[in-house]
Amino acid sequence: MERQNVPQTTIQRLPAYLRCLLQAQEQRMPVVNSVELAEMCGTNAAQVRKDLSYLGELGTRGIGYDVKALIAHISSVLGITERRRAAVIGYGRFGGALLGYSGFAERGFEIVAVVDADPAKVGTLVRTPSGEIAVSAIDDLERVMQEAGVEIAILATPASVTQDMADRLVAAGVRAILNLAPVRLVVPEGIAVRQVCLSTDLQVLSFHLAQNAQDGPEGADEQE
């Protein structure tokens, strides 16, 4: 099975399936069917079966999927069977909070470098689930990325410098970027970028609140 043949929408749902399968494993469920997995993940059984069908011949008809085997298979597809070395660029409040997140290590990601532009922070020892790391200077970005063998960079920088940081990371050999700044990055082909924008997600939630507020009175009128 070639990863490029898996639809992007399916890839985006695989981490959720993996999370639910890990929960099933914690609950000592040796086998899970598509209906059970769908209920755990908040989707439907047909979607689960369709997504997993892209990964090969999995599961047994009428029985379900072996939880341990499916965890291993999805982990392999996601490329997290080996530890991925990551760096946090920007040791502000957001970047600092990320460093203490144990979920990275639990999912196979190790923070191996922290970089910041503030001279007062350079040299500061910060604690991560994998141990302590000294904050490096932004002037040493390229050297630090190469020496630490960073594969994924997490950009927690001000919007005004984010594109410049991305350019430098790419030049340093980093091939995957998680961007937390509200800036659309322009990168060469072959560089993987994921955008996380909390303000956008909050606006979507606000839209749903506004819609519910509008629908409420109408629904009440219809019921009368």
Coordinates of all heavy atoms in Angstrom, one line a residue, residues 88-101 104 111 114-116 126-128 154-157 180:
V88 N 10.8 23.2 18.6 CA 9.8 24.3 18.8 C 10.6 25.6 18.6 O 11.6 25.9 19.2 CB 9.3 24.3 20.3 CG1 8.4 25.6 20.5 CG2 8.4 23.1 20.5
I89 N 10.0 26.4 17.6 CA 10.6 27.7 17.3 C 9.8 28.8 17.9 O 8.7 29.1 17.5 CB 10.7 27.9 15.7 CG1 11.2 26.6 15.1 CG2 11.6 29.1 15.4 CD1 12.6 26.2 15.5
G90 N 10.3 29.4 18.9 CA 9.6 30.5 19.7 C 9.2 30.0 21.1 O 8.3 29.2 21.2
Y91 N 10.0 30.5 22.0 CA 9.8 30.0 23.4 C 9.0 31.1 24.2 O 9.4 31.7 25.2 CB 11.1 29.7 24.1 CG 11.0 29.2 25.5 CD1 10.1 28.2 25.8 CD2 11.8 29.8 26.5 CE1 10.0 27.7 27.1 CE2 11.7 29.3 27.8 CZ 10.8 28.3 28.1 OH 10.7 27.8 29.4
G92 N 7.8 31.4 23.7 CA 6.9 32.3 24.4 C 5.9 31.5 25.2 O 6.1 30.3 25.5
R93 N 4.7 32.1 25.5 CA 3.8 31.4 26.3 C 3.2 30.1 25.6 O 3.1 29.1 26.1 CB 2.6 32.3 26.6 CG 3.0 33.4 27.6 CD 1.8 34.3 28.0 NE 2.2 35.3 28.9 CZ 1.3 36.2 29.4 NH1 0.0 36.2 29.0 NH2 1.7 37.1 30.3
F94 N 3.0 30.3 24.3 CA 2.4 29.2 23.5 C 3.5 28.1 23.3 O 3.2 26.9 23.6 CB 2.0 29.7 22.1 CG 0.9 28.9 21.5 CD1 0.3 29.3 20.3 CD2 0.5 27.7 22.0 CE1 -0.7 28.6 19.7 CE2 -0.5 26.9 21.4 CZ -1.1 27.4 20.3
G95 N 4.7 28.5 22.9 CA 5.8 27.5 22.7 C 6.1 26.8 24.0 O 6.3 25.6 24.1
G96 N 6.1 27.6 25.1 CA 6.4 27.0 26.4 C 5.4 26.0 26.9 O 5.7 24.9 27.5
A97 N 4.1 26.3 26.6 CA 3.1 25.3 26.9 C 3.2 24.0 26.2 O 3.0 22.9 26.7 CB 1.7 26.0 26.7
L98 N 3.6 24.1 24.9 CA 3.8 22.9 24.1 C 4.9 22.0 24.6 O 4.7 20.8 24.5 CB 4.1 23.3 22.6 CG 3.0 24.0 21.8 CD1 3.6 24.5 20.5 CD2 1.9 23.1 21.6
L99 N 5.9 22.6 25.2 CA 7.0 21.8 25.6 C 6.6 20.8 26.8 O 7.3 19.8 26.9 CB 8.2 22.7 26.1 CG 8.8 23.5 25.0 CD1 9.8 24.5 25.5 CD2 9.6 22.5 24.0
G100 N 5.6 21.2 27.5 CA 5.2 20.3 28.6 C 4.2 19.3 28.2 O 3.7 18.6 29.1
Y101 N 3.7 19.3 27.0 CA 2.7 18.4 26.5 C 3.2 17.0 26.4 O 4.0 16.7 25.5 CB 2.1 18.9 25.2 CG 1.0 18.0 24.6 CD1 -0.1 17.6 25.4 CD2 1.1 17.6 23.3 CE1 -1.0 16.8 24.9 CE2 0.1 16.7 22.8 CZ -1.0 16.4 23.6 OH -1.9 15.5 23.1
F104 N 3.1 14.4 22.9 CA 4.1 14.3 21.9 C 4.9 13.0 22.0 O 5.0 12.2 21.1 CB 5.0 15.5 21.9 CG 4.4 16.8 21.4 CD1 4.7 18.0 22.0 CD2 3.5 16.8 20.3 CE1 4.1 19.2 21.6 CE2 2.9 18.0 19.9 CZ 3.2 19.2 20.5
I111 N 10.8 16.3 21.3 CA 11.3 17.6 21.2 C 12.8 17.6 21.5 O 13.2 17.4 22.6 CB 10.6 18.6 22.1 CG1 9.1 18.5 21.9 CG2 11.1 20.0 21.9 CD1 8.6 19.0 20.6
V114 N 14.9 23.8 21.1 CA 14.0 25.0 21.3 C 14.8 26.2 20.9 O 16.0 26.3 21.3 CB 13.6 25.1 22.8 CG1 12.6 26.3 23.0 CG2 13.0 23.8 23.3
V115 N 14.2 27.1 20.1 CA 15.0 28.2 19.6 C 14.1 29.5 19.9 O 12.9 29.5 19.7 CB 15.2 28.1 18.1 CG1 16.0 29.3 17.6 CG2 16.0 26.8 17.8
D116 N 14.8 30.6 20.3 CA 14.1 31.8 20.5 C 15.0 33.0 20.2 O 16.2 32.9 20.2 CB 13.6 31.9 22.0 CG 12.6 33.0 22.2 OD1 11.4 32.7 22.0 OD2 12.9 34.1 22.5
V126 N 14.8 24.2 29.8 CA 13.4 24.0 29.8 C 13.2 22.5 29.9 O 13.9 21.7 29.3 CB 12.7 24.6 28.5 CG1 12.9 26.1 28.5 CG2 13.3 24.0 27.3
R127 N 12.1 22.1 30.6 CA 11.8 20.7 30.9 C 10.8 20.2 29.8 O 9.8 20.9 29.6 CB 11.3 20.5 32.3 CG 11.1 19.0 32.6 CD 10.6 18.9 34.1 NE 11.6 19.4 35.0 CZ 12.7 18.8 35.4 NH1 12.9 17.5 35.0 NH2 13.6 19.3 36.2
T128 N 11.1 19.1 29.2 CA 10.2 18.4 28.3 C 10.0 17.0 28.8 O 10.7 16.5 29.7 CB 10.8 18.4 26.9 OG1 11.8 17.3 26.8 CG2 11.3 19.7 26.5
I154 N 7.9 23.1 14.8 CA 6.7 23.7 15.3 C 6.9 25.2 15.4 O 7.6 25.7 16.3 CB 6.2 23.1 16.6 CG1 6.1 21.6 16.5 CG2 4.9 23.7 17.1 CD1 5.9 20.9 17.8
L155 N 6.3 26.0 14.5 CA 6.4 27.4 14.5 C 5.4 28.1 15.5 O 4.2 28.2 15.2 CB 6.3 28.0 13.1 CG 7.5 27.9 12.2 CD1 7.1 28.3 10.8 CD2 8.6 28.8 12.7
A156 N 6.0 28.6 16.6 CA 5.2 29.4 17.5 C 5.7 30.8 17.6 O 6.0 31.3 18.7 CB 5.2 28.7 18.9
T157 N 5.9 31.4 16.5 CA 6.5 32.7 16.3 C 5.5 33.8 16.0 O 4.4 33.5 15.5 CB 7.6 32.7 15.2 OG1 7.0 32.1 14.0 CG2 8.7 31.8 15.6
L180 N 1.7 27.5 13.8 CA 0.7 28.0 14.7 C 0.4 29.5 14.5 O -0.5 30.0 15.2 CB 1.2 27.7 16.1 CG 1.6 26.3 16.5 CD1 2.0 26.2 17.9 CD2 0.5 25.3 16.2

